[in-house]
Amino acid sequence: TPAIYSGRAGTLILYSGRAQLFARSEMLGLRRPGAVLSAMRRGFSSSAQRGLKMGASELLAYAEDVFPQVRGQFSIINLTESSILVRMHVGEQHLRPGGTVNGPAMFTLADCTMYFLTLAHVGRAPLAVTTNCSIDFLRKPEPADMFARARLLKLGRTLCVGDALLFSDGAEDRPVARASLTYAIPRPQG
């Protein structure tokens, strides 16, 4: 029976025979059978080992505890190792003249979504801070709940980089803004 390892470097299938192992390693660009084991130690199974440190409900409860001003404004719809989908409950305080969601509210949605994704990976780190955010407003959003779908592009020791697409409820195929965000991860204490 084959052993299957899945991770950020792809999927690796190891068979019992050495010749099959070498053929598989060559397909992955690894020239020596020993390189397969080395690659496995470096990252083929790393996503299974890393995992998420917090689930959606724990994450939202923690964020609302640390930042009570966001209490009741967001719902985490879906959380995976590489992405998150967050809903912002739009109210009168989020609207601007002309009946549209204002820019600062959309920025808040993008920023909080990436904060949630960062915390999901690093755990309880209230001092994780935005070091960069660039947002492009693409079209006028409807005065309805908004969603942000963020994906993790890179998670390092000190920085977490991602991007987000924002869209109005019922219009996922028509994004209203896109954002690129970087979070600084605080060093562990002790």
Side-chain angles (χ1 to χ4, degrees), residues 62-79:
Y62 176 69
E64 289 180 345
D65 185 45
V66 174
F67 294 105
Q69 60 270 33
V70 303
R71 187 170 286 124
Q73 288 190 46
F74 300 101
S75 298
I76 298 175
I77 307 300
N78 190 27
L79 174 63

Side-chain angles (χ1 to χ4, degrees), residues 24-105:
R24 278 288 172 204
S25 67
E26 199 166 68
M27 287 174 43
L28 293 167
L30 304 170
R31 300 292 176 225
R32 305 175 333 274
V36 173
L37 297 175
S38 175
M40 286 170 44
R41 280 187 223 106
R42 278 195 323 269
F44 276 100
S45 60
S46 66
S47 65
Q49 293 168 355
R50 281 170 77 168
L52 296 174
K53 300 237 181 355
M54 299 172 80
S57 57
E58 180 187 4
L59 180 60
L60 191 58
Y62 176 69
E64 289 180 345
D65 185 45
V66 174
F67 294 105
Q69 60 270 33
V70 303
R71 187 170 286 124
Q73 288 190 46
F74 300 101
S75 298
I76 298 175
I77 307 300
N78 190 27
L79 174 63
T80 69
E81 284 192 23
S82 61
S83 68
I84 188 170
L85 177 64
V86 174
R87 169 182 279 216
M88 180 174 71
H89 307 285
V90 174
E92 286 293 319
Q93 72 275 20
H94 300 114
L95 301 180
R96 58 167 283 137
T100 184
V101 178
N102 64 47

